[in-house]
Amino acid sequence: MTKTVLFSYYINEGSIITNPSAVTKDSTHRYSIRIPFKNRKEKNAINAIVIMKNPSAAGKKVKINNKTRIISDDTIYTVLDYLYKQKQYYVKEVITVNLMSIYSGTLSNIIKTSNSIEDLSAEANLKEIQQIVEISNESDIIIAAWGGYPSYSLQDTKPYQISNEELKRYYDSLIENTQSLIKGRNVFRVRSLTKDGFPRHGKNWYDYEKLRPYQV
């Protein structure tokens, strides 16, 4: 049984905003989630825009002990913990977007059932990233955190299968399109690059690591 991960005490849970606003088990795509920290209204507080791979169940409302709670997940929890603790910037809100908008905790399962590679990200996703970046303040930071190519094993039972080569080309194009929107901004990464030159995924951050500039 999968453990339910909740947001920590320092999250202003009642002010979390997702787009689309209703995150359910039947949702197909999610474009962004805004997660504010409690009691950070100082003038020097900034927003952090984190770009990851694809959205998970974080933001979904559930009933726990007769109370409505919003669930997190391991990756979002790690990202929020890092940004809440780190001292280089005083972050008041974390805005998470993704290269792909398809809603799934296990991306490989979605890839296996997709009829087209275009199913993995809606056209509105890139527009959402563009809008968030454009309305952000110059002092806000952007963190590249999408990690490497999605892991995926071909199966023999499906008539159409997305090949690994096709998936890699598609992933590279998503990165290129996204990076074109954040050029000239304060872009960072956490930890060293992967062996393939990708910024580390948010689930692999450690709170003792400093933010490092990321060249786009």
Side-chain angles (χ1 to χ4, degrees), residues 82-95:
Y82 176 89
L83 290 170
Y84 184 76
K85 292 178 178 177
Q86 71 93 33
K87 306 298 183 183
Q88 290 169 267
Y89 292 90
Y90 190 60
V91 178
K92 64 181 178 181
E93 181 173 83
V94 179
I95 306 165

Side-chain angles (χ1 to χ4, degrees), residues 19 30-32 34 49 51 95-101 121-136 174 177-182:
N19 181 21
R30 192 189 73 207
Y31 307 119
S32 65
R34 307 180 72 104
I49 302 167
I51 308 174
I95 306 165
T96 299
V97 293
N98 297 275
L99 296 181
M100 291 175 276
S101 60
S121 194
E123 194 173 312
N125 190 57
L126 197 63
K127 293 180 181 178
E128 177 83 349
I129 298 173
Q130 180 179 15
Q131 182 181 37
I132 287 172
V133 171
E134 286 181 348
I135 66 175
S136 65
L174 293 176
N177 290 338
T178 301
Q179 289 188 151
S180 70
L181 301 177
I182 60 177

